[in-house]
Amino acid sequence: MIKDALLTQFEERYEKEPANAAVEHAIQTVGFKKASLNLEAKRRHSFVFSDETKQGEITNQKHSGRCWMFATLNSSRVQTMAKLKDKKFDFSKTYTLFYDKLEKSNTFLENILKTADKPTDDREVMEILRQGAGDGGYWDFAAGLLKKYGNVPASVMPETYNSEDTTEFNKILDAFLRQFAFELRSLVEQGASDEEIEAKKDDQLYFIYSLLVKAFGQVPKTFTYSYRDDDDEFHKIENITPQAFFNEYVGVEFDEMTTLLNAPMEGRPYDKTYTLKNLYSVYEAGGLKFLHKPIDVLKEAAIKAIKDNTPLWFGCDVTTLAARELGILDNDIYAYEDTLGRKVTLDKGQMLEYHVTSITHAMNLVGVDLDKDGKPLTWKIENSWGEKNGKKGVFSMSDQWFDDFVYELVVPNRYLDEQIIEEAKQEPIELEMWDPFM
C-alpha cells in the first residue's frame, strides 16, 4: 500500500538528487527523447557505407501499416528497374492492399468457422476477433499475394485517400467483419447446413469486395503501361495481366527464400522452424515459417547478399532507441542513464518475453559499412516513411542495434549454406497467435 509516509520519503529522496531539477525542466519542455539525445552517438553515423545495393526512389506508406508490403515491393522492383531500364519504376501498393484486405477477410471468416464451437471469451477466439483484418503483416503474406495476384505499376492503380490513411477504412471493415462473425457463429449454433453457411460467407465476402472497390478502385485484369526509360526512349507494354507482368519483369525466387529469425527466448532452441497459429493473408498459401538462428548467421547472409547487389527484407522494433527524424537506429542514441538514472538492461530474449519490444516495422537492408577486417560498423536502411525522415529517407543502423532489435531477415537460398536450407525444410513448431516469440 502507498501511504503518505512513503510519498514523503520519495519526495525527500528526489530533492536530494541535484541533477533532477535540471533534467526535469528539460524533459517537461522537449520530452524524454530530445532531452536525452546523445550527440556523440549521432556523430558515429556518417551515412557513408562501403558496400551498397541498387535501390529505387524513397516511398511513403503515410498513415498505414503497410511497411511489410512496401519493403517487399521495394526490394522486388530492383530487378524490374534493371529489366525496364527505368530507375523511377515503382509498384502499386494499392493493388496489393486491395487483395490483402480481401484475403485477410476470408481468412478471418474461415478462422471464425474453425473456432465456432468455442465461446467468445476463449483466448483464441478473442485474438481472432481482436486482430480483424488489420494492416500488419509479414514477408510471407506479401509473397503469397504476389504469387497469386501479381502486381502492376504504381500509375496503373495509384494511391487513394483510403490507402494512404487506412484508419477510417479499417474501422469500418473490422466492424462488419465482427458482425459477420456473429452471423456465422449463429448459423453454426442453429445447425445450418454447410451449403447455407458457405452461401452466407460468400455474400459477406461480396460486401467486403464492394467496400474495397469503393475505397481503392477496381483492380485491373489486364493493363497497358507506357513509359520512357533512362535513355528517354519510349516503350509500351500492352494488354498484359498483373500476374504475367510480375512474372516477366520481376522473377523474385519466392519459393527459394528463407526467413531467418533471431529471438533468443528461453525454451526456443536454434535450428528449429516455427509458425504462428491461424495467421495468414492468403488462406491456401499457408502460414508463416521462420528458421531460428544465431544473429551472426543473419549478418553473414546479409553481407553476402549486399555484396551481390541484393536488398533484403528485415523485421525489427523501430520504436526502441530510434531517432526517427535523424534516421538513426543506435543503442546509445538516447542517454537515458544520464537523464533518468537508469536504463533497461534486459537482454533481447527477456525484452520479447516481457513485452518491452516486439516486431513493429519492416524495411530493407541496402548497404553496410565494413571495417578493414570485414566486420560491420553500420548498416544502410531503405525505409518507407518518405524523404523527410533520415537522410532523404535513408536510415543508418549501428551493428549493436542489429544485434538487439533485428528479429527477421528474408534471404534468398543462394546466400545460405546447404545445412541451413535443409533445416528450413523442417515441419514448423506451431505457436499461439499471441506468442511474443514472433
Side-chain angles (χ1 to χ4, degrees):
M1 180 183 296
I2 298 178
K3 297 181 179 180
D4 288 345
L6 184 61
L7 290 174
T8 299
Q9 289 179 29
F10 288 169
E11 183 178 351
E12 291 173 351
R13 180 179 173 183
Y14 184 85
E15 289 177 351
K16 286 179 180 178
E17 298 175 16
N20 281 340
V23 172
E24 172 187 328
H25 296 315
I27 290 175
Q28 289 175 13
T29 302
V30 299
F32 286 97
K33 287 187 173 182
K34 286 186 177 179
S36 306
L37 185 65
N38 182 356
L39 295 179
E40 179 57 37
K42 177 184 174 182
R43 283 191 283 269
R44 291 201 293 264
H45 293 265
S46 65
F47 286 80
V48 177
F49 306 89
S50 61
D51 298 270
E52 298 182 345
T53 73
K54 300 289 185 184
Q55 67 179 85
E57 295 184 332
I58 292 297
T59 54
N60 194 341
Q61 67 188 76
K62 297 193 176 178
H63 297 288
S64 71
R66 297 177 289 165
C67 59
W68 56 278
M69 188 184 301
F70 271 69
T72 305
L73 290 169
N74 287 349
S75 59
S76 299
R77 69 180 172 175
V78 171
Q79 295 188 44
T80 310
M81 289 159 49
K83 289 184 178 183
L84 297 178
K85 297 182 179 178
D86 181 6
K87 293 177 182 177
K88 296 183 178 180
F89 178 83
D90 196 16
F91 281 113
S92 170
K93 282 76 176 182
T94 309
Y95 178 91
T96 304
L97 177 63
F98 183 104
Y99 282 118
D100 179 56
K101 291 298 184 184
L102 186 62
E103 290 286 354
K104 278 179 179 169
S105 296
N106 178 64
T107 291
F108 172 89
L109 298 175
E110 289 288 346
N111 285 337
I112 287 296
L113 289 170
K114 269 199 318 190
T115 58
D117 60 332
K118 298 181 178 182
T120 53
D121 61 357
D122 174 84
R123 187 168 185 185
E124 184 178 357
V125 177
M126 290 172 65
E127 185 66 16
I128 292 167
L129 290 169
R130 184 192 69 80
Q131 289 198 7
D135 286 357
Y138 299 81
W139 178 86
D140 305 67
F141 286 10
L145 291 162
L146 293 169
K147 285 167 67 176
K148 183 173 182 178
Y149 296 107
N151 200 278
V152 299
S155 60
V156 174
M157 193 169 180
E159 295 287 305
T160 72
Y161 171 87
N162 299 289
S163 65
E164 292 184 335
D165 187 346
T166 56
T167 308
E168 180 183 345
F169 174 82
N170 285 342
K171 186 74 174 175
I172 292 170
L173 174 60
D174 283 345
F176 278 109
L177 282 175
R178 287 156 186 157
Q179 175 179 307
F180 294 163
F182 168 78
E183 293 172 359
L184 291 177
R185 287 172 61 89
S186 297
L187 282 178
V188 172
E189 186 178 353
Q190 294 161 16
S193 68
D194 291 346
E195 291 75 15
E196 290 174 309
I197 293 171
E198 190 66 26
K200 169 61 77 172
K201 176 173 168 281
D202 287 348
D203 184 64
Q204 293 170 342
L205 282 174
Y206 166 71
F207 176 81
I208 293 166
Y209 175 87
S210 69
L211 196 66
L212 290 166
V213 175
K214 291 168 184 174
F216 307 125
Q218 185 60 273
V219 288
K221 292 182 178 178
T222 62
F223 65 93
T224 294
Y225 177 54
S226 300
Y227 72 100
R228 287 190 176 274
D229 66 19
D230 298 331
D231 298 321
D232 202 33
E233 291 187 18
F234 177 80
H235 300 270
K236 180 181 285 188
I237 301 170
E238 297 187 90
N239 196 31
I240 191 169
T241 68
Q243 294 91 335
F245 180 82
F246 199 78
N247 290 335
E248 183 171 349
Y249 293 102
V250 180
V252 174
E253 61 272 48
F254 288 117
D255 294 327
E256 297 296 327
M257 301 182 80
T258 298
T259 302
L260 301 178
L261 173 74
N262 180 255
M265 289 171 57
E266 259 190 78
R268 303 291 163 79
Y270 288 131
D271 308 327
K272 302 292 184 182
T273 60
Y274 297 85
T275 189
L276 290 174
K277 187 178 182 180
N278 293 334
L279 208 55
Y280 314 91
S281 176
V282 179
Y283 192 77
E284 68 271 19
L288 310 171
K289 191 174 186 181
F290 304 87
L291 175 61
H292 195 204
K293 300 297 289 185
I295 196 68
D296 287 345
V297 175
L298 279 68
K299 290 183 183 180
E300 182 181 348
I303 292 170
K304 285 181 181 178
I306 290 168
K307 284 179 172 290
D308 196 37
N309 192 36
T310 302
L312 298 181
W313 189 108
F314 75 100
C316 63
D317 181 13
V318 80
T319 65
T320 304
L321 300 177
R324 177 171 179 148
E325 291 183 2
L326 296 174
I328 293 175
L329 310 175
D330 191 303
N331 295 49
D332 299 322
I333 195 62
Y334 300 117
Y336 286 134
E337 197 165 11
D338 293 339
T339 54
L340 306 181
R342 293 185 184 183
K343 63 179 181 179
V344 175
T345 57
L346 299 176
D347 64 29
K348 189 175 187 177
Q350 292 165 341
M351 286 194 289
L352 283 168
E353 187 175 357
Y354 284 86
H355 298 268
V356 176
T357 64
S358 62
I359 302 170
T360 60
H361 193 49
M363 300 180 283
N364 287 323
L365 281 177
V366 293
V368 62
D369 186 32
L370 302 173
D371 67 15
K372 60 183 176 62
D373 298 317
K375 300 296 183 182
L377 301 170
T378 57
W379 299 80
K380 181 181 180 183
I381 310 301
E382 177 190 17
N383 203 353
S384 55
W385 287 348
E387 292 191 352
K388 291 183 178 179
N389 294 284
K391 190 172 182 179
K392 294 185 177 180
V394 171
F395 278 46
S396 177
M397 173 175 67
S398 74
D399 192 55
Q400 183 63 51
W401 200 95
F402 191 125
D403 287 344
D404 292 342
F405 301 109
V406 170
Y407 303 104
E408 300 170 22
L409 184 71
V410 180
V411 184
N413 287 347
R414 63 181 180 274
Y415 303 118
L416 300 173
D417 295 340
E418 282 299 323
Q419 180 182 341
I420 294 175
I421 297 170
E422 286 302 311
E423 289 173 350
K425 295 176 182 178
Q426 299 173 76
E427 192 66 25
I429 298 166
E430 187 177 69
L431 305 174
E432 299 293 348
M433 296 174 73
W434 52 85
D435 197 290
F437 188 50
M438 295 184 281

